[in-house]
Amino acid sequence: MTEKELKRALFDIKFEYMMHTPEEREALYEEYLKKRGEIRKELAKLIREQREKEVKTK
């Protein structure tokens, strides 16, 4: 996935989570955190790789 796609996925997960009632959100919280964590980890990895590539080309 690209950086833009990963950022969009983060937004979509948060939006979907927030569309539930507070009671439903409480039940879905662990799953939400897991999905969010996976995407954030992938996004961080992608950004780190891009910056490392930039440094190598300079």
Side-chain angles (χ1 to χ4, degrees):
M1 294 178 96
T2 66
E3 183 177 349
K4 185 176 180 179
E5 290 171 333
L6 289 168
K7 287 180 178 181
R8 180 63 190 195
L10 277 175
F11 174 82
D12 290 343
I13 286 173
K14 172 94 178 203
F15 183 76
E16 179 185 329
Y17 175 72
M18 294 306 290
M19 292 302 295
H20 292 87
T21 65
E23 293 81 23
E24 291 172 328
R25 285 197 301 255
E26 190 173 320
L28 296 170
Y29 187 67
E30 292 299 320
E31 181 182 342
Y32 163 71
L33 285 180
K34 182 181 176 191
K35 287 180 183 179
R36 182 173 164 253
E38 290 171 1
I39 293 172
R40 287 178 57 128
K41 189 175 186 178
E42 186 66 30
L43 180 59
K45 179 182 171 188
L46 178 68
I47 291 171
R48 185 182 70 243
E49 288 173 355
Q50 288 174 346
R51 289 192 179 154
E52 286 174 354
K53 187 177 179 182
E54 264 183 32
V55 170
K56 287 180 183 179
T57 59
K58 286 185 179 180

